[in-house]
Amino acid sequence: MNSETSLVSLDGVEKRFGAVQALTGVSFQVARGECVGLVGHNGAGKSTLMNILAGTIAPDHGTIAINGALQSAYSTGRAKALGIRCVFQELSLCPNLTVAENARVFHPALRGWNWRKRAGDLIRAKLDDIFPGHGIDVTDHISDLTIGRRQMVEIARAFTITDDPADLVILDEPTSSLDAHTAGQLLTFVRRVIAQGTSCIFISHILGEVLSNSDRIAVMRDGTLVANAPASDFTRDRLIETMGGVHSALDDTQAVNAEMSRSEHPIVIQSGTVSGSTQLELVARRGEIIGLAGLAGHGQTDMLLALFSKASTDASDAKTRVAYVPGDRQSDGIFKQWSIAENISVRSLSALTKGALLSLQDEAALAAFWKDKIKIRTPDPNNPILSLSGGNQQKALFARALASDATLILMDDPMRGVDYGTKLEVYDLIREEARLGKTFVWYTTEMDELKNCDHVYVFRNGSIVAELNRHVISEERLIEASFAGAA
């Protein structure tokens, strides 16, 4: 592609963070009216490259050109004025403000009398355009919304227009907290705006989405661009191979635990509703992997929190120890001021304590073991947790739960922003731990992940409306149950 005719052209971009070389001579272009899929494992350099394009960090070397004009004093304000928008994986909404007020923060042009109504009308119209039936009120405070709805607001806000254009929108894991129906609405909208001349950079670890919705795919590995070709040149296997990943070897014998290894006595029984009337019950036995499905925000997280409370306070079964892996790692997961090692070991303090003191040697050994086992990309577990990419932060949360003495592990859509290769490794770990007797209750918005589960409960309006054995799970059955209440 000719850099002079590209909407965006990055040439020879390099970036180093201390001893880590994040980008090495990356050249990357996007044409007008093009959707470029950008893929690679966690830590490959994708987010760093996009932060440079969005103006949030400056490159050490290299050039940035927008519409053929070299940029010498590039910043977030300059990028926005030139039509560059970004929806980052770590959402940037102000939680103490309403949906309308967050639109005003993004658009300073919305000033003067009655600005709140105009801001509300602007964001409501875009939410209606992208996500029909979204159920979000512009007077809602962001802190009161689920992570899926917060993601919907952030996406809609990125496509709203006042005085600055929206020529290129960077979507970093935009469907990671959306259910299949809502993700489909977004992807349909993206193809529509692409046809109208807007450009998009689409970053996702859900490879089917990238292959189906991109015009061109760029693959990054270890801070370099290793492939750049039309999407039609790639298959799923070739894309995984180019990323340097592994192929899934999932089959029926690997996906489920041997029936003989499970206890017939259920360790978890929870009413199938969080709203009042009793219908189906959630039952989990030792060594099972239980999936929670359905449209986002229909009671799955409430169920997990109820299970956590029950397991934490129920004295009738002292053997049930519980750990929780959140999907919203920034709000509910990591301790931002702590090291990687401290974040991993915090759930295992009793096992690491000798006398009245914490054994720093044992803590370091635990962190080093899980760093290698779950492949957390860091030269030193004593580095701050925020030195990790988002996906590697999520690995640390998995390590925290799996390293603990918990026999029941609750997972709230925990694969958000985790790369494909790591997902396969984590699936193997979950199945391995289940075979050893741990029980998992796993809410996920990804169909492929439900194939790892023994049973799946489908939620609608706060209640369980269907129970499916993994052998009969299909996207059609899940959608039917989600909307009609019958499988």
Side-chain angles (χ1 to χ4, degrees):
M1 184 185 301
N2 189 334
S3 61
E4 294 182 358
T5 60
S6 300
L7 172 65
V8 166
S9 179
L10 306 179
D11 186 39
V13 172
E14 298 188 1
K15 185 64 183 180
R16 176 182 289 274
F17 297 102
V20 178
Q21 184 73 39
L23 296 174
T24 306
V26 176
S27 295
F28 179 80
Q29 292 85 34
V30 182
R32 189 172 296 277
E34 181 185 35
C35 182
V36 179
L38 183 61
V39 299
H41 292 315
N42 294 124
K46 306 183 303 297
S47 293
T48 301
L49 187 66
M50 293 303 100
N51 272 287
I52 287 173
L53 179 54
T56 55
I57 61 176
D60 298 331
H61 301 286
T63 61
I64 304 171
I66 310 295
N67 285 315
L70 286 175
Q71 304 298 313
S72 57
Y74 199 61
S75 64
T76 53
R78 179 63 176 160
K80 188 168 180 289
L82 291 170
I84 310 299
R85 307 283 182 87
C86 190
V87 178
F88 284 116
Q89 182 180 329
E90 307 298 346
L91 304 182
S92 62
L93 300 172
C94 301
N96 59 316
L97 301 181
T98 66
V99 173
E101 290 165 347
N102 271 275
R104 165 63 179 84
V105 169
F106 194 69
H107 292 290
L110 295 170
R111 60 172 65 90
W113 182 81
N114 212 24
W115 65 263
R116 189 173 276 103
K117 181 180 185 302
R118 288 183 286 124
D121 291 343
L122 180 71
I123 189 67
R124 183 189 298 109
K126 191 55 65 177
L127 281 166
D128 291 344
D129 189 20
I130 304 174
F131 305 108
H134 52 81
I136 299 171
D137 194 293
V138 298
T139 62
D140 289 339
H141 280 82
I142 296 299
S143 59
D144 294 331
L145 299 179
T146 64
I147 187 170
R149 287 186 168 180
R150 295 204 302 270
Q151 194 159 31
M152 292 161 68
V153 171
E154 180 116 22
I155 290 167
R157 188 178 70 164
F159 283 98
T160 54
I161 298 175
T162 52
D163 51 347
D164 294 325
D167 293 334
L168 170 67
V169 180
I170 303 166
L171 298 171
D172 190 355
E173 300 290 345
T175 65
S176 60
S177 295
L178 305 181
D179 57 66
H181 173 70
T182 311
Q185 290 179 323
L186 171 61
L187 296 174
T188 299
F189 171 80
V190 168
R191 292 312 308 172
R192 175 152 49 93
V193 297
I194 293 295
Q196 295 168 353
T198 300
S199 301
C200 280
I201 298 173
F202 185 68
I203 304 173
S204 178
H205 292 307
I206 303 176
L207 302 185
E209 289 182 348
V210 177
L211 290 165
S212 300
N213 295 280
S214 303
D215 301 308
R216 180 164 52 89
I217 297 177
V219 183
M220 294 191 69
R221 188 167 69 221
D222 298 328
T224 62
L225 197 65
V226 296
N228 185 11
S232 58
D233 288 359
F234 290 95
T235 63
R236 186 186 185 90
D237 286 346
R238 183 192 168 193
L239 197 53
I240 294 170
E241 183 180 358
T242 306
M243 291 164 57
V246 294
H247 296 272
S248 174
L250 180 67
D251 59 33
D252 285 349
T253 59
Q254 292 174 306
V256 295
N257 309 296
E259 291 289 340
M260 295 297 292
S261 68
R262 298 195 189 108
S263 167
E264 288 301 316
H265 177 66
I267 65 165
V268 171
I269 299 179
Q270 185 74 14
S271 169
T273 178
V274 292
S275 59
S277 62
T278 301
Q279 297 180 25
L280 296 174
E281 287 186 328
L282 186 150
V283 179
R285 292 176 171 81
R286 201 169 306 281
E288 282 190 324
I289 304 173
I290 301 299
L292 308 184
L295 300 180
H298 276 245
Q300 300 93 332
T301 297
D302 291 333
M303 176 62 80
L304 289 174
L305 293 174
L307 291 173
F308 184 83
S309 177
K310 181 177 185 293
S312 300
T313 59
D314 191 353
S316 65
D317 188 1
K319 294 181 180 180
T320 301
R321 296 173 296 275
V322 63
Y324 196 98
V325 184
D328 187 357
R329 56 182 164 269
Q330 294 299 320
S331 298
D332 304 324
I334 63 171
F335 294 91
K336 298 179 182 179
Q337 305 302 318
W338 290 10
S339 70
I340 301 163
E342 290 167 329
N343 270 274
I344 291 173
S345 64
V346 66
R347 180 59 180 76
S348 304
L349 293 181
S350 59
L352 299 174
T353 300
K354 294 182 177 179
L357 299 176
L358 176 68
S359 170
L360 297 180
Q361 182 178 359
D362 289 350
E363 180 185 58
L366 179 76
F369 174 81
W370 281 97
K371 167 188 172 292
D372 294 337
K373 186 174 181 66
I374 207 166
K375 296 182 174 61
I376 298 174
R377 293 174 61 92
T378 180
D380 186 354
N382 291 313
N383 286 341
I385 188 72
L386 292 180
S387 68
L388 299 178
S389 66
N392 278 285
Q393 291 176 24
Q394 199 69 28
K395 291 184 192 180
L397 297 185
F398 271 110
R400 176 195 299 171
L402 295 176
S404 74
D405 63 352
T407 56
L408 173 63
I409 297 179
L410 309 174
M411 305 192 298
D412 189 4
D413 205 10
M415 300 295 189
R416 182 171 178 265
V418 176
D419 64 69
Y420 181 76
T422 298
K423 285 181 180 180
L424 296 182
E425 293 164 358
V426 172
Y427 301 160
D428 287 341
L429 278 173
I430 290 172
R431 292 194 294 268
E432 176 186 342
E433 294 293 324
R435 283 191 291 270
L436 294 174
K438 289 189 177 181
T439 302
F440 294 82
V441 181
W442 183 359
Y443 167 50
T444 173
T445 55
E446 294 188 30
M447 179 65 198
D448 285 348
E449 295 186 350
L450 295 173
K451 296 176 183 177
N452 292 274
C453 300
D454 302 309
H455 299 278
V456 172
Y457 293 92
V458 184
F459 281 68
R460 183 167 62 87
N461 295 329
S463 298
I464 296 173
V465 294
E467 178 186 358
L468 304 175
N469 184 282
R470 68 170 303 275
H471 295 291
V472 299
I473 293 171
S474 68
E475 189 165 1
E476 292 76 14
R477 283 177 177 267
L478 289 172
I479 291 175
E480 182 184 359
S482 298
F483 283 99

